[in-house]
Short mmCIF file of all heavy atoms in Angstrom, two decimals:
data_model
loop_
_atom_site.label_atom_id
_atom_site.label_comp_id
_atom_site.label_asym_id
_atom_site.label_seq_id
_atom_site.Cartn_x
_atom_site.Cartn_y
_atom_site.Cartn_z
N THR A 1368 41.90 -238.08 154.70
CA THR A 1368 41.29 -238.38 155.99
C THR A 1368 39.77 -238.13 155.95
O THR A 1368 39.10 -238.23 156.96
CB THR A 1368 41.94 -237.55 157.12
OG1 THR A 1368 41.88 -236.17 156.75
CG2 THR A 1368 43.39 -237.94 157.32
N LEU A 1369 39.27 -237.76 154.77
CA LEU A 1369 37.82 -237.59 154.56
C LEU A 1369 37.46 -238.24 153.22
O LEU A 1369 38.30 -238.25 152.30
CB LEU A 1369 37.46 -236.10 154.45
CG LEU A 1369 37.51 -235.24 155.71
CD1 LEU A 1369 37.31 -233.77 155.34
CD2 LEU A 1369 36.43 -235.68 156.70
N ALA A 1370 36.20 -238.67 153.10
CA ALA A 1370 35.77 -239.26 151.81
C ALA A 1370 35.91 -238.24 150.68
O ALA A 1370 36.22 -238.59 149.54
CB ALA A 1370 34.33 -239.74 151.93
N SER A 1371 35.71 -236.95 151.00
CA SER A 1371 35.81 -235.92 149.94
C SER A 1371 37.24 -235.82 149.40
O SER A 1371 37.44 -235.48 148.23
CB SER A 1371 35.33 -234.57 150.46
OG SER A 1371 36.11 -234.17 151.57
N HIS A 1372 38.25 -236.10 150.23
CA HIS A 1372 39.64 -236.11 149.73
C HIS A 1372 39.82 -237.22 148.69
O HIS A 1372 40.48 -237.04 147.67
CB HIS A 1372 40.65 -236.36 150.86
CG HIS A 1372 40.64 -235.33 151.95
ND1 HIS A 1372 41.07 -235.60 153.22
CD2 HIS A 1372 40.26 -234.03 151.94
CE1 HIS A 1372 40.96 -234.51 153.97
NE2 HIS A 1372 40.47 -233.54 153.21
N VAL A 1373 39.23 -238.38 149.00
CA VAL A 1373 39.34 -239.52 148.07
C VAL A 1373 38.66 -239.16 146.75
O VAL A 1373 39.19 -239.37 145.67
CB VAL A 1373 38.69 -240.79 148.65
CG1 VAL A 1373 38.87 -241.96 147.70
CG2 VAL A 1373 39.24 -241.12 150.03
N TYR A 1374 37.46 -238.57 146.89
CA TYR A 1374 36.68 -238.21 145.69
C TYR A 1374 37.48 -237.23 144.83
O TYR A 1374 37.55 -237.37 143.60
CB TYR A 1374 35.34 -237.61 146.12
CG TYR A 1374 34.36 -237.47 144.97
CD1 TYR A 1374 33.68 -238.59 144.49
CD2 TYR A 1374 34.15 -236.25 144.35
CE1 TYR A 1374 32.80 -238.48 143.42
CE2 TYR A 1374 33.28 -236.13 143.28
CZ TYR A 1374 32.60 -237.25 142.83
OH TYR A 1374 31.73 -237.15 141.77
N HIS A 1375 38.12 -236.28 145.48
CA HIS A 1375 38.92 -235.29 144.74
C HIS A 1375 40.01 -235.97 143.90
O HIS A 1375 40.22 -235.64 142.74
CB HIS A 1375 39.57 -234.31 145.74
CG HIS A 1375 40.52 -233.34 145.11
ND1 HIS A 1375 41.84 -233.64 144.85
CD2 HIS A 1375 40.32 -232.08 144.65
CE1 HIS A 1375 42.42 -232.60 144.25
NE2 HIS A 1375 41.53 -231.64 144.14
N ASP A 1376 40.68 -236.96 144.48
CA ASP A 1376 41.83 -237.58 143.80
C ASP A 1376 41.41 -238.70 142.84
O ASP A 1376 42.05 -238.89 141.81
CB ASP A 1376 42.79 -238.21 144.83
CG ASP A 1376 43.71 -237.19 145.49
OD1 ASP A 1376 43.40 -235.98 145.40
OD2 ASP A 1376 44.71 -237.60 146.09
N LEU A 1377 40.37 -239.48 143.20
CA LEU A 1377 40.14 -240.74 142.48
C LEU A 1377 38.80 -240.84 141.77
O LEU A 1377 38.45 -241.91 141.26
CB LEU A 1377 40.31 -241.93 143.45
CG LEU A 1377 41.68 -242.06 144.13
CD1 LEU A 1377 41.71 -243.30 145.03
CD2 LEU A 1377 42.81 -242.15 143.12
N LYS A 1378 38.03 -239.75 141.72
CA LYS A 1378 36.71 -239.84 141.05
C LYS A 1378 36.94 -240.24 139.58
O LYS A 1378 37.89 -239.80 138.94
CB LYS A 1378 35.94 -238.53 141.14
CG LYS A 1378 36.51 -237.39 140.38
CD LYS A 1378 35.58 -236.18 140.43
CE LYS A 1378 36.25 -234.95 139.87
NZ LYS A 1378 37.44 -234.49 140.60
N GLY A 1379 36.06 -241.14 139.11
CA GLY A 1379 36.20 -241.62 137.73
C GLY A 1379 37.20 -242.76 137.60
O GLY A 1379 37.31 -243.37 136.54
N ARG A 1380 37.93 -243.05 138.68
CA ARG A 1380 38.95 -244.11 138.61
C ARG A 1380 38.56 -245.34 139.42
O ARG A 1380 39.18 -246.40 139.27
CB ARG A 1380 40.31 -243.59 139.11
CG ARG A 1380 40.76 -242.31 138.39
CD ARG A 1380 42.07 -241.81 138.93
NE ARG A 1380 43.16 -242.67 138.53
CZ ARG A 1380 43.90 -242.48 137.45
NH1 ARG A 1380 43.69 -241.43 136.69
NH2 ARG A 1380 44.87 -243.30 137.14
N ILE A 1381 37.61 -245.19 140.33
CA ILE A 1381 37.17 -246.32 141.17
C ILE A 1381 35.64 -246.31 141.25
O ILE A 1381 35.03 -245.24 141.13
CB ILE A 1381 37.78 -246.26 142.60
CG1 ILE A 1381 37.36 -244.98 143.33
CG2 ILE A 1381 39.30 -246.33 142.54
CD1 ILE A 1381 37.81 -244.95 144.80
N PRO A 1382 35.00 -247.49 141.44
CA PRO A 1382 33.53 -247.51 141.40
C PRO A 1382 32.85 -247.05 142.69
O PRO A 1382 31.72 -246.58 142.66
CB PRO A 1382 33.20 -248.98 141.13
CG PRO A 1382 34.39 -249.74 141.61
CD PRO A 1382 35.57 -248.84 141.46
N LEU A 1383 33.52 -247.18 143.85
CA LEU A 1383 32.80 -246.94 145.11
C LEU A 1383 33.71 -246.37 146.20
O LEU A 1383 34.85 -246.83 146.38
CB LEU A 1383 32.20 -248.28 145.60
CG LEU A 1383 31.45 -248.28 146.93
CD1 LEU A 1383 30.24 -247.33 146.89
CD2 LEU A 1383 30.97 -249.69 147.29
N ILE A 1384 33.17 -245.36 146.90
CA ILE A 1384 33.83 -244.84 148.10
C ILE A 1384 32.86 -245.03 149.26
O ILE A 1384 31.70 -244.59 149.18
CB ILE A 1384 34.16 -243.33 147.96
CG1 ILE A 1384 35.10 -243.08 146.78
CG2 ILE A 1384 34.75 -242.78 149.26
CD1 ILE A 1384 35.30 -241.60 146.44
N ILE A 1385 33.30 -245.70 150.31
CA ILE A 1385 32.48 -245.79 151.53
C ILE A 1385 32.84 -244.59 152.39
O ILE A 1385 34.00 -244.40 152.76
CB ILE A 1385 32.79 -247.09 152.31
CG1 ILE A 1385 32.40 -248.33 151.49
CG2 ILE A 1385 32.09 -247.10 153.66
CD1 ILE A 1385 30.93 -248.51 151.29
N ASP A 1386 31.83 -243.78 152.72
CA ASP A 1386 32.05 -242.57 153.52
C ASP A 1386 31.70 -242.86 154.98
O ASP A 1386 30.54 -243.04 155.32
CB ASP A 1386 31.17 -241.44 152.96
CG ASP A 1386 31.37 -240.13 153.73
OD1 ASP A 1386 32.08 -240.13 154.75
OD2 ASP A 1386 30.80 -239.11 153.29
N GLY A 1387 32.73 -242.91 155.82
CA GLY A 1387 32.49 -243.17 157.25
C GLY A 1387 32.91 -241.98 158.09
O GLY A 1387 33.21 -242.13 159.27
N GLY A 1388 32.99 -240.79 157.48
CA GLY A 1388 33.39 -239.59 158.25
C GLY A 1388 34.90 -239.47 158.36
O GLY A 1388 35.64 -240.12 157.62
N ALA A 1389 35.33 -238.62 159.30
CA ALA A 1389 36.76 -238.31 159.43
C ALA A 1389 37.51 -239.44 160.12
O ALA A 1389 36.98 -240.10 161.02
CB ALA A 1389 36.93 -237.03 160.22
N CYS A 1390 38.75 -239.66 159.69
CA CYS A 1390 39.62 -240.66 160.34
C CYS A 1390 40.19 -240.02 161.60
O CYS A 1390 40.75 -238.93 161.53
CB CYS A 1390 40.78 -241.04 159.42
SG CYS A 1390 40.23 -241.66 157.83
N ASN A 1391 40.08 -240.71 162.75
CA ASN A 1391 40.46 -240.00 163.98
C ASN A 1391 41.95 -239.96 164.26
O ASN A 1391 42.44 -239.05 164.91
CB ASN A 1391 39.65 -240.49 165.19
CG ASN A 1391 39.82 -241.97 165.38
OD1 ASN A 1391 40.57 -242.61 164.65
ND2 ASN A 1391 39.11 -242.53 166.35
N VAL A 1392 42.74 -240.91 163.76
CA VAL A 1392 44.19 -240.87 164.03
C VAL A 1392 44.87 -239.87 163.08
O VAL A 1392 45.66 -239.03 163.50
CB VAL A 1392 44.82 -242.28 163.88
CG1 VAL A 1392 46.34 -242.22 164.02
CG2 VAL A 1392 44.24 -243.23 164.91
N GLY A 1393 44.59 -239.97 161.80
CA GLY A 1393 45.04 -238.94 160.86
C GLY A 1393 46.38 -239.16 160.20
O GLY A 1393 46.68 -238.51 159.22
N VAL A 1394 47.24 -240.03 160.72
CA VAL A 1394 48.43 -240.45 159.97
C VAL A 1394 48.39 -241.97 159.85
O VAL A 1394 47.68 -242.64 160.60
CB VAL A 1394 49.77 -240.03 160.63
CG1 VAL A 1394 49.93 -238.53 160.64
CG2 VAL A 1394 49.91 -240.63 162.01
N GLU A 1395 49.18 -242.51 158.93
CA GLU A 1395 49.12 -243.94 158.65
C GLU A 1395 49.66 -244.77 159.82
O GLU A 1395 50.25 -244.24 160.77
CB GLU A 1395 49.93 -244.27 157.39
CG GLU A 1395 49.46 -243.60 156.13
CD GLU A 1395 50.03 -242.21 155.93
OE1 GLU A 1395 50.54 -241.63 156.92
OE2 GLU A 1395 49.97 -241.70 154.80
N SER A 1396 49.50 -246.09 159.68
CA SER A 1396 49.92 -247.00 160.75
C SER A 1396 51.43 -246.99 160.93
O SER A 1396 52.18 -246.64 160.02
CB SER A 1396 49.45 -248.41 160.42
OG SER A 1396 50.02 -248.84 159.20
N THR A 1397 51.86 -247.38 162.12
CA THR A 1397 53.27 -247.56 162.43
C THR A 1397 53.71 -248.90 161.83
O THR A 1397 53.06 -249.92 162.08
CB THR A 1397 53.43 -247.61 163.97
OG1 THR A 1397 52.91 -246.39 164.48
CG2 THR A 1397 54.87 -247.78 164.39
N VAL A 1398 54.78 -248.90 161.03
CA VAL A 1398 55.25 -250.16 160.43
C VAL A 1398 56.49 -250.62 161.18
O VAL A 1398 57.47 -249.86 161.30
CB VAL A 1398 55.59 -249.98 158.93
CG1 VAL A 1398 56.05 -251.31 158.32
CG2 VAL A 1398 54.41 -249.42 158.15
N VAL A 1399 56.45 -251.85 161.74
CA VAL A 1399 57.61 -252.38 162.45
C VAL A 1399 58.08 -253.69 161.82
O VAL A 1399 57.29 -254.47 161.29
CB VAL A 1399 57.32 -252.62 163.96
CG1 VAL A 1399 57.05 -251.31 164.68
CG2 VAL A 1399 56.18 -253.60 164.17
N ASP A 1400 59.39 -253.90 161.91
CA ASP A 1400 59.99 -255.14 161.42
C ASP A 1400 60.65 -255.85 162.59
O ASP A 1400 61.65 -255.38 163.13
CB ASP A 1400 61.04 -254.80 160.34
CG ASP A 1400 61.66 -256.05 159.74
OD1 ASP A 1400 61.34 -257.16 160.22
OD2 ASP A 1400 62.45 -255.92 158.78
N GLY A 1401 60.04 -256.95 163.02
CA GLY A 1401 60.57 -257.73 164.13
C GLY A 1401 61.40 -258.91 163.64
O GLY A 1401 61.82 -259.75 164.42
N LEU A 1402 61.61 -259.00 162.32
CA LEU A 1402 62.33 -260.15 161.76
C LEU A 1402 63.82 -259.86 161.63
O LEU A 1402 64.59 -260.72 161.27
CB LEU A 1402 61.74 -260.52 160.39
CG LEU A 1402 60.24 -260.80 160.41
CD1 LEU A 1402 59.72 -261.08 159.00
CD2 LEU A 1402 59.92 -261.98 161.33
N CYS A 1403 64.21 -258.60 161.88
CA CYS A 1403 65.63 -258.26 161.80
C CYS A 1403 66.15 -258.00 163.22
O CYS A 1403 65.36 -257.83 164.15
CB CYS A 1403 65.83 -257.03 160.92
SG CYS A 1403 64.96 -255.58 161.53
N LEU A 1404 67.46 -257.95 163.35
CA LEU A 1404 68.07 -257.72 164.66
C LEU A 1404 68.95 -256.48 164.62
O LEU A 1404 69.84 -256.42 163.77
CB LEU A 1404 68.94 -258.90 165.06
CG LEU A 1404 68.35 -259.88 166.07
CD1 LEU A 1404 69.32 -261.01 166.35
CD2 LEU A 1404 67.88 -259.22 167.36
N PRO A 1405 68.79 -255.48 165.46
CA PRO A 1405 67.66 -255.33 166.36
C PRO A 1405 66.39 -255.03 165.56
O PRO A 1405 66.49 -254.62 164.41
CB PRO A 1405 68.07 -254.11 167.20
CG PRO A 1405 68.96 -253.31 166.32
CD PRO A 1405 69.68 -254.30 165.46
N PRO A 1406 65.21 -255.22 166.17
CA PRO A 1406 63.98 -254.91 165.45
C PRO A 1406 63.93 -253.43 165.08
O PRO A 1406 64.60 -252.61 165.72
CB PRO A 1406 62.88 -255.27 166.44
CG PRO A 1406 63.52 -255.37 167.76
CD PRO A 1406 64.96 -255.67 167.55
N ALA A 1407 63.14 -253.09 164.08
CA ALA A 1407 63.19 -251.71 163.58
C ALA A 1407 61.79 -251.13 163.40
O ALA A 1407 60.83 -251.85 163.08
CB ALA A 1407 63.92 -251.68 162.24
N LEU A 1408 61.72 -249.84 163.64
CA LEU A 1408 60.51 -249.10 163.30
C LEU A 1408 60.76 -248.50 161.92
O LEU A 1408 61.64 -247.67 161.74
CB LEU A 1408 60.28 -248.00 164.34
CG LEU A 1408 59.03 -247.14 164.14
CD1 LEU A 1408 58.34 -246.94 165.48
CD2 LEU A 1408 59.36 -245.79 163.56
N LEU A 1409 60.02 -248.99 160.92
CA LEU A 1409 60.28 -248.57 159.54
C LEU A 1409 59.52 -247.30 159.17
O LEU A 1409 59.98 -246.52 158.35
CB LEU A 1409 59.90 -249.67 158.56
CG LEU A 1409 60.64 -251.01 158.69
CD1 LEU A 1409 60.23 -251.95 157.57
CD2 LEU A 1409 62.14 -250.80 158.69
N ARG A 1410 58.33 -247.14 159.72
CA ARG A 1410 57.57 -245.91 159.46
C ARG A 1410 56.88 -245.49 160.74
O ARG A 1410 56.08 -246.24 161.29
CB ARG A 1410 56.51 -246.15 158.37
CG ARG A 1410 55.65 -244.91 158.11
CD ARG A 1410 54.65 -245.10 156.98
NE ARG A 1410 53.54 -245.96 157.37
CZ ARG A 1410 52.53 -246.27 156.56
NH1 ARG A 1410 52.51 -245.80 155.33
NH2 ARG A 1410 51.57 -247.06 156.99
N PRO A 1411 57.17 -244.27 161.24
CA PRO A 1411 56.44 -243.81 162.43
C PRO A 1411 54.99 -243.54 162.04
O PRO A 1411 54.71 -243.12 160.91
CB PRO A 1411 57.15 -242.50 162.81
CG PRO A 1411 57.84 -242.03 161.58
CD PRO A 1411 58.09 -243.25 160.72
N GLY A 1412 54.05 -243.83 162.95
CA GLY A 1412 52.64 -243.67 162.59
C GLY A 1412 51.77 -243.59 163.82
O GLY A 1412 52.19 -243.09 164.87
N GLY A 1413 50.56 -244.12 163.70
CA GLY A 1413 49.51 -243.96 164.71
C GLY A 1413 49.89 -244.38 166.12
O GLY A 1413 49.40 -243.80 167.09
N PHE A 1414 50.73 -245.39 166.28
CA PHE A 1414 51.29 -245.68 167.61
C PHE A 1414 52.70 -245.10 167.64
O PHE A 1414 53.42 -245.15 166.64
CB PHE A 1414 51.34 -247.19 167.88
CG PHE A 1414 49.99 -247.79 168.17
CD1 PHE A 1414 49.49 -248.82 167.39
CD2 PHE A 1414 49.22 -247.32 169.23
CE1 PHE A 1414 48.24 -249.37 167.64
CE2 PHE A 1414 47.96 -247.86 169.49
CZ PHE A 1414 47.47 -248.89 168.70
N THR A 1415 53.08 -244.55 168.79
CA THR A 1415 54.38 -243.86 168.86
C THR A 1415 55.51 -244.87 169.07
O THR A 1415 55.28 -246.02 169.49
CB THR A 1415 54.40 -242.85 170.03
OG1 THR A 1415 54.27 -243.58 171.25
CG2 THR A 1415 53.27 -241.84 169.92
N TYR A 1416 56.72 -244.41 168.79
CA TYR A 1416 57.92 -245.20 169.07
C TYR A 1416 57.94 -245.59 170.55
O TYR A 1416 58.25 -246.73 170.92
CB TYR A 1416 59.14 -244.35 168.71
CG TYR A 1416 60.48 -244.96 169.01
CD1 TYR A 1416 60.84 -246.19 168.48
CD2 TYR A 1416 61.40 -244.29 169.82
CE1 TYR A 1416 62.09 -246.74 168.76
CE2 TYR A 1416 62.64 -244.83 170.09
CZ TYR A 1416 62.98 -246.06 169.56
OH TYR A 1416 64.21 -246.60 169.83
N GLU A 1417 57.55 -244.64 171.42
CA GLU A 1417 57.52 -244.91 172.86
C GLU A 1417 56.53 -246.03 173.18
O GLU A 1417 56.80 -246.89 174.02
CB GLU A 1417 57.15 -243.63 173.65
CG GLU A 1417 58.22 -242.53 173.63
CD GLU A 1417 58.20 -241.65 172.36
OE1 GLU A 1417 57.45 -241.98 171.41
OE2 GLU A 1417 58.95 -240.66 172.31
N ASP A 1418 55.39 -246.06 172.48
CA ASP A 1418 54.42 -247.16 172.66
C ASP A 1418 55.09 -248.50 172.37
O ASP A 1418 54.91 -249.48 173.11
CB ASP A 1418 53.23 -247.03 171.69
CG ASP A 1418 52.29 -245.88 172.03
OD1 ASP A 1418 52.22 -245.51 173.21
OD2 ASP A 1418 51.62 -245.36 171.11
N ILE A 1419 55.85 -248.54 171.27
CA ILE A 1419 56.49 -249.80 170.86
C ILE A 1419 57.52 -250.22 171.92
O ILE A 1419 57.56 -251.39 172.33
CB ILE A 1419 57.18 -249.65 169.48
CG1 ILE A 1419 56.19 -249.15 168.42
CG2 ILE A 1419 57.87 -250.95 169.04
CD1 ILE A 1419 55.04 -250.06 168.11
N LEU A 1420 58.32 -249.26 172.39
CA LEU A 1420 59.34 -249.59 173.41
C LEU A 1420 58.68 -250.08 174.69
O LEU A 1420 59.13 -251.06 175.29
CB LEU A 1420 60.17 -248.35 173.74
CG LEU A 1420 61.09 -247.79 172.66
CD1 LEU A 1420 61.92 -246.64 173.24
CD2 LEU A 1420 62.03 -248.88 172.12
N HIS A 1421 57.62 -249.40 175.12
CA HIS A 1421 57.01 -249.73 176.41
C HIS A 1421 56.15 -250.99 176.37
O HIS A 1421 56.08 -251.74 177.33
CB HIS A 1421 56.18 -248.55 176.93
CG HIS A 1421 57.03 -247.36 177.24
ND1 HIS A 1421 56.58 -246.06 177.10
CD2 HIS A 1421 58.31 -247.26 177.66
CE1 HIS A 1421 57.56 -245.23 177.41
NE2 HIS A 1421 58.62 -245.94 177.75
N LEU A 1422 55.49 -251.22 175.23
CA LEU A 1422 54.53 -252.32 175.20
C LEU A 1422 55.09 -253.59 174.57
O LEU A 1422 54.51 -254.66 174.69
CB LEU A 1422 53.26 -251.89 174.44
CG LEU A 1422 52.54 -250.67 175.03
CD1 LEU A 1422 51.34 -250.27 174.17
CD2 LEU A 1422 52.07 -250.98 176.45
N GLY A 1423 56.23 -253.46 173.88
CA GLY A 1423 56.74 -254.60 173.12
C GLY A 1423 57.48 -255.64 173.97
O GLY A 1423 57.75 -256.74 173.50
N GLY A 1424 57.83 -255.27 175.21
CA GLY A 1424 58.59 -256.21 176.04
C GLY A 1424 60.07 -256.14 175.72
O GLY A 1424 60.53 -255.32 174.92
N GLU A 1425 60.82 -257.06 176.32
CA GLU A 1425 62.30 -257.07 176.27
C GLU A 1425 62.84 -256.93 174.84
O GLU A 1425 63.74 -256.13 174.58
CB GLU A 1425 62.79 -258.38 176.92
CG GLU A 1425 64.21 -258.37 177.41
CD GLU A 1425 64.55 -257.15 178.26
OE1 GLU A 1425 63.82 -256.83 179.23
OE2 GLU A 1425 65.55 -256.50 177.91
N SER A 1426 62.30 -257.70 173.91
CA SER A 1426 62.87 -257.74 172.56
C SER A 1426 62.82 -256.41 171.83
O SER A 1426 63.54 -256.20 170.86
CB SER A 1426 62.12 -258.76 171.70
OG SER A 1426 61.89 -259.92 172.40
N TRP A 1427 61.93 -255.51 172.25
CA TRP A 1427 61.77 -254.24 171.52
C TRP A 1427 62.49 -253.09 172.21
O TRP A 1427 62.47 -251.97 171.72
CB TRP A 1427 60.27 -253.91 171.34
CG TRP A 1427 59.63 -254.87 170.38
CD1 TRP A 1427 59.06 -256.08 170.71
CD2 TRP A 1427 59.53 -254.76 168.96
NE1 TRP A 1427 58.62 -256.72 169.57
CE2 TRP A 1427 58.89 -255.92 168.49
CE3 TRP A 1427 59.93 -253.78 168.03
CZ2 TRP A 1427 58.63 -256.14 167.13
CZ3 TRP A 1427 59.66 -254.00 166.67
CH2 TRP A 1427 59.04 -255.17 166.24
#
Side-chain angles (χ1 to χ4, degrees):
T1368 54
L1369 288 172
S1371 59
H1372 299 156
V1373 183
Y1374 192 77
H1375 174 276
D1376 280 16
L1377 301 182
K1378 67 174 170 298
R1380 306 178 72 93
I1381 60 174
L1383 178 60
I1384 299 171
I1385 296 292
D1386 181 353
C1390 303
N1391 57 2
V1392 175
V1394 294
E1395 299 86 343
S1396 60
T1397 302
V1398 182
V1399 294
D1400 183 355
L1402 304 177
C1403 60
L1404 258 179
L1408 181 136
L1409 299 185
R1410 177 177 73 179
F1414 286 122
T1415 64
Y1416 176 57
E1417 291 82 353
D1418 289 333
I1419 304 297
L1420 292 185
H1421 295 148
L1422 301 177
E1425 201 49 51
S1426 316
W1427 291 88

